[in-house]
């Protein structure tokens, strides 16, 4: 079955640091890849998604490239702010419909002021 | 996020019966119930498309979903167990086609005492 792996359970940075969150996936389909962000007390919300291999998604200063060769979809941001503190979920939707999205375990990002 | 409303927001139960309610104002065809336990990603419980139940994950029989119309979703819970303590999110998407974005409500936190 499909799987998504996020190796980092927690990341702690200072403001203006560079962010890199690791995500790799496994699937036999041609998936759509997502990053969802969950702020405290809220439901997850879409940060960005990419439907085509080798394309890049960009949103609010975050970016992720759908790398079919390395089956990765790492999240990056050049300069983080305290307001970026949240849990980030990498997720995969298979290419056929009526199927559930597979979420990674999540990475909790804490930004120190 | 007032586009998907959930009630109640907090629920403390001691083996009583209760129902969670959700309404989406996005005109979406698909509605979902997810369970999120502490420090875990959301887990799909049920998926409705155009009021039809099309995915029913391995969920205890004490959880019974209901979709009275395309914009409303209910989750009836009977004789709760301590393992049911979690946040229950309602979500919706335009369709169940691959790659559709999920829109989550703010969740109903269930505490079993």
């Amino acid at each position: 079955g499909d799987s998504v792996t996020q190796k980092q359970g927690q990341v702690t940075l200072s403001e203006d640091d560079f962010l890199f969150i690791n995500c790799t996936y496994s699937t036999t389909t041609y998936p759509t890849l997502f990053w969802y962000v969950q702020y405290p007390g809220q439901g997850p919300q879409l940060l960005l998604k990419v439907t085509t291999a080798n394309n890049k998604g960009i949103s609010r200063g975050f970016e992720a490239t759908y790398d079919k060769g390395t089956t990765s979809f790492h999240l990056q941001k050049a300069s983080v702010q305290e307001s970026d503190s949240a849990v980030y979920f990498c997720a995969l939707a298979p290419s056929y419909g009526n199927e559930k999205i597979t979420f990674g375990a999540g990475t909790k990002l804490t930004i120190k002021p | 996020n007032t586009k998907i409303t959930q009630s109640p927001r907090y629920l403390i139960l001691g083996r009583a019966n209760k129902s969670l309610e959700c309404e989406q104002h996005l005109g979406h065809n698909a509605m979902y119930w997810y369970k999120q336990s502490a420090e875990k990603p959301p887990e799909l419980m049920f998926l409705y498309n155009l009021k039809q139940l099309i995915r029913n994950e391995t969920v205890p029989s004490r959880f019974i979903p209901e979709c009275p119309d395309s914009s409303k979703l209910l989750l009836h819970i009977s004789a709760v167990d301590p393992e049911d303590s979690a946040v229950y999110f309602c979500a919706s998407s335009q369709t169940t086609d691959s790659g559709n974005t999920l829109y989550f409500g703010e969740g109903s936190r269930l505490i079993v005492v």
Side-chain angles (χ1 to χ4, degrees):
Chain A
D2 297 340
S3 67
V4 176
T5 301
Q6 292 179 243
K7 291 182 180 177
Q8 303 145 292
Q10 293 198 56
V11 172
T12 301
L13 298 171
S14 298
E15 279 199 320
D16 298 323
D17 280 352
F18 171 74
L19 170 68
F20 180 91
I21 298 180
N22 184 288
C23 171
T24 57
Y25 65 89
S26 174
T27 181
T28 58
T29 75
Y30 299 93
T32 294
L33 299 175
F34 304 81
W35 279 100
Y36 281 86
V37 58
Q38 186 173 25
Y39 299 102
Q42 298 183 23
Q45 58 183 265
L46 179 70
L47 178 59
L48 56 84
K49 73 176 181 182
V50 180
T51 57
T52 307
N54 302 322
N55 279 8
K56 179 187 291 186
I58 300 174
S59 174
R60 303 186 237 165
F62 293 88
E63 62 179 59
T65 299
Y66 180 156
D67 189 330
K68 191 179 175 190
T70 59
T71 61
S72 66
F73 193 54
H74 308 314
L75 184 68
Q76 302 181 64
K77 187 177 186 185
S79 175
V80 293
Q81 303 304 307
E82 193 176 354
S83 58
D84 293 327
S85 295
V87 179
Y88 292 80
F89 292 102
C90 184
L92 171 162
S95 54
Y96 40 89
N98 294 343
E99 288 295 320
K100 65 178 183 180
I101 288 179
T102 298
F103 285 91
T107 298
K108 183 175 182 179
L109 174 64
T110 302
I111 306 300
K112 296 185 287 187
Chain B
N1 178 12
T2 57
K3 296 179 180 176
I4 301 179
T5 56
Q6 292 188 239
S7 63
R9 293 294 312 279
Y10 296 92
L11 190 59
I12 300 174
L13 285 181
R15 299 194 67 76
N17 300 339
K18 190 65 179 178
S19 296
L20 306 182
E21 299 183 7
C22 170
E23 184 169 11
Q24 56 103 352
H25 307 277
L26 296 165
H28 288 170
N29 293 339
M31 295 190 74
Y32 309 71
W33 279 115
Y34 277 86
K35 175 184 179 182
Q36 187 175 33
S37 301
E39 312 294 325
K40 293 287 176 70
E43 298 175 63
L44 180 65
M45 301 174 73
F46 304 102
L47 162 58
Y48 278 84
N49 187 43
L50 297 170
K51 295 176 56 180
Q52 300 299 311
L53 182 64
I54 61 169
R55 285 197 74 96
N56 183 344
E57 302 298 299
T58 305
V59 176
S61 58
R62 58 182 178 274
F63 290 90
I64 300 174
E66 181 184 353
C67 189
D69 67 57
S70 57
S71 66
K72 293 182 181 168
L73 199 57
L74 306 173
L75 184 63
H76 306 293
I77 313 172
S78 58
V80 291
D81 187 90
E83 71 179 24
D84 300 333
S85 293
V87 181
Y88 291 84
F89 287 103
C90 175
S92 70
S93 62
Q94 184 66 57
T95 71
T96 57
D97 291 344
S98 172
N100 262 242
T101 298
L102 286 174
Y103 294 81
F104 287 85
E106 294 194 327
S108 294
R109 180 176 294 277
L110 172 62
I111 300 171
V112 180
V113 298

